[in-house]
Amino acid sequence: MNSIINHAVKILKKGNIIAFPTETVYGLGADAKKNEAILKIFKLKKRPTFNPLICHFKNINEVKKQVVFTKKAKILADKFWPGPLTLILKKRKNGNISNLASSGLDTLACRIPSNKIALKILNEFNGVIAAPSANLSSKLSSTSKKHVVKNFGRKIFIVDGGLTNYGIESTIVDLSKKIPIVLRPGAIKIENIQNIFPNLRLLNNKKNTISSPGQLKKHYCPSIPIRLNVKKVRKNEVLLNFGKNSLHSNIKELNLSENSDLDEAAKKFFEYLHKLDNEKYHSIAVAPIKNTGMGIAINDRLKRAASNE
Ligand code: TXA
Ligand code: MG
């Protein structure tokens, strides 16, 4: 693994892109301080340049060089870093992250991942890695090397870390305003942050357009239609099931968790959607999934996957 990591770091230092595992999903990484490297990510992902990227750091000291690290930030970082929490913080004037990475905003999305391979790469690289999820814009996220290849072929060097641990992206909390706001539910459960900040708000998606441009209504889309909260599976549909029930597809069915375990369901979520996302099928029927704990993040992804807007 060490020689693979060294090779990945060489690629980053040259201003090129790698794909690497984190504990949430695979990321497409580039040197966050180089404009040309950041542009390559936007181009490869076909991502609109107004949708900013998350910066990945090796430790808190490095974060503090780029953003104003508030008391609230310290409380959340002490509890959840390294781990699947992204904090939106005000940029320092003397920071040196490419403005393209944050799409020209005065805030920066920061996180310290807990995945051992990601941390090794960050330590060897000794810099900041800007990394969106390793999928084409608006498509399904990647939780294994296979999914990254499906999106980008063999165009980029992929560090293989097997299936990711959480299977769903980091929770994003905006701390740049007076009241903390969850911009994206994710792998850290909202109730765990609410325990610390009871006034925590959830982003109102209807009103929001600019503050989290990535929270576009249409996202995480399979290439065939998807129908949610089904009571009955249609004749030509495949089924993404959850828990024990009487739903059944004659064509193909996968169960996210027969025991209705939402953490297990999150881990398998993108993996199973990739498996069912095949143009030889007509559409994907999805069973109702409890909207608590990790279910909140799963249902957020499902709603966007099914959106026609
Ligand atoms: O788990 C994760 O967060 C993964 C792994 C690779 O770290 N990354 C990820 O990145 O999900 P991406 O690019 O797919 O999603 C990042 C989200 C986008 O919705 C983007 O709009 C938002 O973060 N974002 C980035 N910078 C922001 C900022 N300054 N203010 C508000 N939202 C921001
Ligand atoms: Mg993404």
Side-chain angles (χ1 to χ4, degrees):
M1 186 45 92
N2 277 350
S3 69
I4 293 171
I5 286 174
N6 289 342
H7 187 61
V9 169
K10 262 191 206 147
I11 295 172
L12 287 174
K13 286 194 172 151
K14 276 192 188 147
N16 288 320
I17 297 174
I18 59 160
F20 68 104
T22 80
E23 68 278 24
T24 56
V25 298
Y26 276 69
L28 277 186
D31 186 338
K33 295 176 185 170
K34 286 199 178 114
N35 283 332
E36 322 83 76
I38 299 297
L39 276 177
K40 283 179 193 164
I41 287 189
F42 281 104
K43 203 165 155 205
L44 186 66
K45 256 187 85 91
K46 299 196 170 84
R47 174 163 174 145
T49 49
F50 61 75
N51 189 4
L53 311 178
I54 295 176
C55 285
H56 296 65
F57 294 84
K58 64 172 185 174
N59 61 36
I60 291 190
N61 276 342
E62 294 301 313
V63 180
K64 286 180 179 166
K65 289 180 190 165
Q66 304 298 338
V67 292
V68 180
F69 208 70
T70 59
K71 263 191 204 150
K72 285 197 177 83
K74 185 176 173 349
I75 293 170
L76 291 186
D78 284 349
K79 178 115 178 109
F80 298 111
W81 279 356
L85 176 73
T86 296
L87 298 179
I88 308 290
L89 296 162
K90 280 256 193 287
K91 279 193 218 160
R92 275 189 190 286
K93 289 212 172 64
N94 58 354
N96 59 350
I97 299 292
S98 158
N99 252 322
L100 298 172
S102 56
S103 302
L105 298 175
D106 62 356
T107 54
L108 192 68
C110 308
R111 93 176 184 94
I112 302 177
S114 61
N115 177 286
K116 285 208 174 78
I117 296 174
L119 277 175
K120 263 199 174 154
I121 296 173
L122 279 162
N123 277 299
E124 285 292 316
F125 178 53
N126 199 18
V128 182
I129 301 177
S133 51
N135 52 276
L136 289 163
S137 188
S138 89
K139 297 295 180 194
L140 296 175
S141 302
S142 299
T143 54
S144 74
K145 177 178 176 178
K146 200 173 59 200
H147 305 150
V148 184
V149 174
K150 193 168 149 192
N151 273 274
F152 302 107
R154 305 263 167 196
K155 270 184 285 188
I156 41 168
F157 183 72
I158 306 169
V159 183
D160 190 354
L163 203 63
T164 61
N165 191 27
Y166 288 92
I168 219 145
E169 294 87 346
S170 62
T171 302
I172 304 181
V173 178
D174 187 352
L175 291 180
S176 69
K177 317 236 160 48
K178 265 196 190 131
I179 296 174
I181 307 172
V182 175
L183 299 184
R184 177 178 74 184
I188 297 282
K189 297 178 184 92
I190 288 175
E191 57 254 40
N192 291 346
I193 305 171
Q194 239 155 6
N195 285 341
I196 300 171
F197 298 133
N199 64 345
L200 183 77
R201 284 215 320 249
L202 257 113
L203 181 74
N204 177 351
N205 272 313
K206 276 182 211 124
K207 275 194 206 149
N208 180 72
T209 46
I210 306 289
S211 87
S212 190
Q215 292 302 292
L216 302 171
K217 279 194 180 151
K218 197 174 164 63
H219 203 347
Y220 312 106
C221 296
S223 50
I224 58 174
I226 179 163
R227 223 162 48 84
L228 308 184
N229 297 315
V230 301
K231 295 202 173 76
K232 205 166 176 250
V233 182
R234 293 176 186 157
K235 229 180 24 206
N236 47 9
E237 280 181 325
V238 291
L239 170 65
L240 183 64
N241 208 350
F242 176 75
K244 291 193 181 81
N245 53 44
S246 58
L247 292 171
H248 173 65
S249 162
N250 285 324
I251 304 170
K252 186 177 171 104
E253 59 184 43
L254 294 170
N255 199 320
L256 289 169
S257 170
E258 297 207 354
N259 302 324
S260 302
D261 176 337
L262 289 163
D263 292 338
E264 182 190 357
K267 188 161 178 163
K268 294 178 177 164
F269 178 67
F270 282 118
E271 163 81 355
Y272 281 7
L273 273 181
H274 275 285
K275 282 191 172 150
L276 296 175
D277 182 19
N278 191 316
E279 268 151 21
K280 71 181 180 201
Y281 308 134
H282 177 272
S283 53
I284 305 170
V286 185
I289 295 173
K290 279 186 295 188
N291 204 39
T292 57
M294 208 66 118
I296 296 175
I298 297 174
N299 280 307
D300 167 79
R301 308 306 185 266
L302 280 172
K303 236 188 283 159
R304 290 173 212 281
S307 171
N308 291 318
E309 292 172 51

